[in-house]
């Protein structure tokens, strides 16, 4: 089981590398990686296990965040209105955004990251709707359309696979400035 000590922190070069494409059939190492990343997310959101093991709650975890430079990310996105419901739970292998909306969105409270230990205020502009092409565990190409919070989470994780961190997208001079027609998710 991954613990906070296993999470790669900002400053480690692996977080700034473009992750290697995953090949199929999946190796046992990559199957375990996928299982372990999802297990971390499930445990971190559990009201008993998270505090017991000192886990910061996470909604996404990309392989570079556990020091593996492969194109794989797990997401476990709770519903913002009803945290007992899950909007998205999956592992994306070799994900690529193939289309996005013109409409921009951002989280009102800004974004955080398990790999970034400090709070960095500011809007992180994201596309409100995206279509992602990814491989499933058998290596079959799949697509999924996402909107709102799940779309934001997947964009954050795909950024990790391309060597980008959320704060790279914040307006450096005016961190709380975003387009007037942006959708702010509270």
């Amino acid at each position: 089981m991954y613990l906070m000590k296993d999470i790669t922190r900002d400053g480690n070069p692996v977080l700034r590398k473009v992750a290697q494409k995953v090949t199929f059939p999946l190796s046992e190492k990559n199957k375990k990686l996928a299982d372990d990343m999802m297990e971390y997310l499930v445990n971190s959101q559990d009201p008993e296990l998270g505090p017991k093991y000192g886990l910061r709650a996470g909604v996404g975890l990309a392989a570079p965040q556990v020091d593996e430079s492969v194109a794989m990310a797990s997401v476990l996105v709770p519903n913002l209105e009803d945290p007992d419901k899950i909007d998205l739970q999956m592992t994306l292998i070799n994900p690529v955004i193939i289309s996005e909306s013109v409409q921009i969105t951002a989280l009102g409270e800004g974004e955080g990251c398990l790999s970034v230990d400090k709070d960095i205020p500011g809007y992180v502009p994201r596309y409100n709707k995206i279509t992602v092409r990814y491989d499933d565990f058998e290596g079959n190409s799949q697509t999924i359309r996402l909107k709102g919070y799940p779309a934001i989470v997947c964009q954050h994780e795909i950024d990790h696979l391309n060597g980008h961190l959320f704060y790279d997208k914040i307006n450096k001079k005016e961190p709380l400035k975003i387009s007037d027609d942006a959708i702010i998710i509270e």
Side-chain angles (χ1 to χ4, degrees), residues 56 109-113 116-122 166-167 170:
R56 279 177 50 201
E109 63 184 29
E111 291 184 21
C113 180
V116 178
D117 290 327
K118 61 186 177 196
D119 185 34
I120 302 176
F166 75 93
Y167 60 76
I170 296 173

Side-chain angles (χ1 to χ4, degrees), residues 7-120:
I7 304 295
T8 306
R9 297 307 205 282
D10 193 7
N12 185 316
V14 73
L15 293 174
R16 293 300 187 169
K17 288 171 56 177
V18 174
Q20 296 297 308
K21 190 170 181 174
V22 174
T23 57
F24 293 90
L26 276 183
S27 66
E28 288 305 313
K29 179 180 179 182
N30 282 337
K31 287 178 188 174
K32 180 170 176 16
L33 175 62
D35 288 346
D36 290 349
M37 289 191 305
M38 186 59 74
E39 180 187 38
Y40 177 91
L41 297 176
V42 169
N43 291 345
S44 76
Q45 291 182 31
D46 184 289
E48 291 178 15
L49 293 178
K52 177 180 177 181
Y53 293 108
L55 306 178
R56 279 177 50 201
V59 293
L61 188 61
Q65 292 183 273
V66 290
D67 208 24
E68 295 290 339
S69 189
V70 294
M72 188 184 308
S74 294
V75 293
L76 179 59
V77 185
N79 181 285
L80 292 177
E81 278 81 49
D82 184 355
D84 290 333
K85 290 184 180 171
I86 299 297
D87 279 349
L88 183 66
Q89 180 174 2
M90 66 187 308
T91 296
L92 300 159
I93 302 171
N94 302 322
V96 177
I97 296 170
I98 57 172
S99 70
E100 65 273 327
S101 64
V102 173
Q103 180 71 60
I104 297 297
T105 190
L107 295 177
E109 63 184 29
E111 291 184 21
C113 180
L114 294 170
S115 293
V116 178
D117 290 327
K118 61 186 177 196
D119 185 34
I120 302 176

Side-chain angles (χ1 to χ4, degrees), residues 104-171:
I104 297 297
T105 190
L107 295 177
E109 63 184 29
E111 291 184 21
C113 180
L114 294 170
S115 293
V116 178
D117 290 327
K118 61 186 177 196
D119 185 34
I120 302 176
Y123 288 127
V124 181
R126 303 281 187 189
Y127 299 108
N128 188 49
K129 294 179 186 175
I130 59 172
T131 301
V132 177
R133 184 178 59 233
Y134 66 96
D135 295 324
D136 63 21
F137 283 84
E138 285 73 47
N140 301 309
S141 183
Q142 306 285 340
T143 59
I144 186 170
R145 297 189 74 204
L146 301 165
K147 177 182 176 183
Y149 188 42
I152 288 173
V153 172
C154 284
Q155 288 171 84
H156 179 115
E157 299 312 320
I158 291 170
D159 276 354
H160 275 301
L161 304 179
N162 291 305
H164 305 295
L165 294 170
F166 75 93
Y167 60 76
D168 298 340
K169 296 184 177 295
I170 296 173
N171 181 324

